[in-house]
Amino acid sequence: MTSTPTRAAEVPPSAPERPAVRVPGTWARRAAAALSFRTIGAVYVWLVIVVLFTVWAPDTFPTMITVKQVLNGNAVAGLVALSVVPPLAARVFDLSIAFTMSLTSVLTAHFMVSAGLGPGTAIALAMTAALLVGVVNGIVVVVLRVDSFIATLATGALIQSLITMVTNDSSITGVRLLAEPFASIAQLDAGGVTLPVLYLLLAALAIWFLLEHTATGRRLYATGFNADAARLQGVRTDRLRFLTLVASALLSGFAGVVFTASVGSGSPTAGTPYLLSAYAAAFVGATQLRAGRFNAWGTVLAVLLLGTGITGLGLATSAQWAASLFTGSVLIVALVLTGGRIALPTVLRRRAKTRPDPITSKET
């Protein structure tokens, strides 16, 4: 009996690979979303401000000197504004930043001029004082459960009393504050752009990386959005809030050291003018790039926007009230935009649901 040879199983030919289908308009939609007013509205407002002051003060405003003035003049303000971003991300207010900045300013000058210490030692002692302020704020807010708004305002008053005790409400000046190497901390420049601008960029980069690319940043945002839910998920919300207050004090304290090196004196009111502008920049920044979230680059963008407006007003008019009016107006508009993005669509949807159907109402 002969066996018939079996034929090998035929494998159906594989279908040719199709090239990846590109959805037309995908990149266009992404670009439109990235360039929309909802995402970078401050950039468009910034451009309008530039055009306005270019027409208003054509001889002084549209120059390279003005650009460098905006960058150099707002670097310290940017550092102070960035100092409130981590606490705000965790829904904590730190109103003591202005007093902490003034404290490190006068302590650095006092240790160098009155105590005769070197710049490194004076700065280390001043930053230690800033660290203690952050720890005290953390204990009062997190451990003692005092509202952060009231607690940091109270610690700010205590800091101000210490400043008055050290300075008797007088600025501390001395030749050592104007000499190298201390003065180079803020006055060394490259092409007219001083070192504080570099400090600002490095601080923004560090905070951006922390908030956007680490688990700690995600936990901070979770704490700010809903602390109870985050706690149930195992997030140590109290520790995060404590650390944000310490980081805020350190960064604002460093801004005070930079301020002293830039002006050559320790001022008991060094941080007072920066409190409103810092929160204005932080809240305006929360409407940009990462809408609804306090973020570093949005804050830097807002600082430059505010700085451009204030510089333009200074070049176009000598009214002393104009800068405060501009900063306050921008803060109000930012708060309206931030609240409106969340509340207005919800209100419209609710009204649409409760609005009666006209056909049904006619039939009834």
Side-chain angles (χ1 to χ4, degrees), residues 223-247:
T223 302
F225 289 142
N226 193 326
D228 294 332
R231 193 179 300 111
L232 291 175
Q233 293 296 323
V235 177
R236 298 181 178 179
T237 56
D238 287 343
R239 185 175 68 174
L240 289 175
R241 296 169 67 204
F242 191 101
L243 292 176
T244 58
L245 289 169
V246 173

Side-chain angles (χ1 to χ4, degrees), residues 25-191:
T26 300
W27 290 106
R29 287 195 297 270
R30 290 182 180 179
L35 298 176
S36 66
F37 189 84
R38 291 173 59 88
T39 305
I40 55 171
V43 174
Y44 299 116
V45 176
W46 191 9
L47 294 176
V48 170
I49 292 174
V50 170
V51 173
L52 174 64
F53 285 113
T54 299
V55 176
W56 193 355
D59 297 331
T60 56
F61 184 79
T63 62
M64 199 62 188
I65 296 177
T66 303
V67 174
K68 295 176 182 179
Q69 182 179 351
V70 170
L71 292 175
N72 297 332
N74 292 279
V76 173
L79 289 173
V80 181
L82 287 175
S83 71
V84 304
V85 171
L88 287 176
R91 196 175 290 183
V92 177
F93 284 89
D94 186 1
L95 298 184
S96 66
I97 54 168
F99 303 99
T100 305
M101 177 180 173
S102 301
L103 178 65
T104 55
S105 174
V106 298
L107 286 182
T108 303
H110 173 75
F111 288 137
M112 289 184 62
V113 175
S114 301
L117 300 178
T121 306
I123 293 173
L125 291 175
M127 292 303 296
T128 302
L131 176 63
L132 291 176
V133 170
V135 171
V136 170
N137 282 337
I139 292 174
V140 175
V141 173
V142 178
V143 179
L144 301 181
R145 302 293 180 183
V146 180
D147 182 78
S148 62
F149 195 94
I150 303 301
T152 55
L153 191 62
T155 55
L158 296 177
I159 295 169
Q160 186 60 50
S161 65
L162 177 61
I163 293 172
T164 303
M165 182 177 64
V166 173
T167 65
N168 198 23
D169 284 335
S170 300
S171 297
I172 301 176
T173 58
V175 178
R176 297 189 65 188
L177 299 177
L178 302 173
E180 301 291 341
F182 181 72
S184 62
I185 294 175
Q187 299 179 17
L188 189 65
D189 69 281

Side-chain angles (χ1 to χ4, degrees), residues 286-299:
T287 67
Q288 305 300 305
L289 304 178
R290 302 281 289 172
R293 294 187 178 186
F294 295 97
N295 61 90
W297 295 118
T299 301

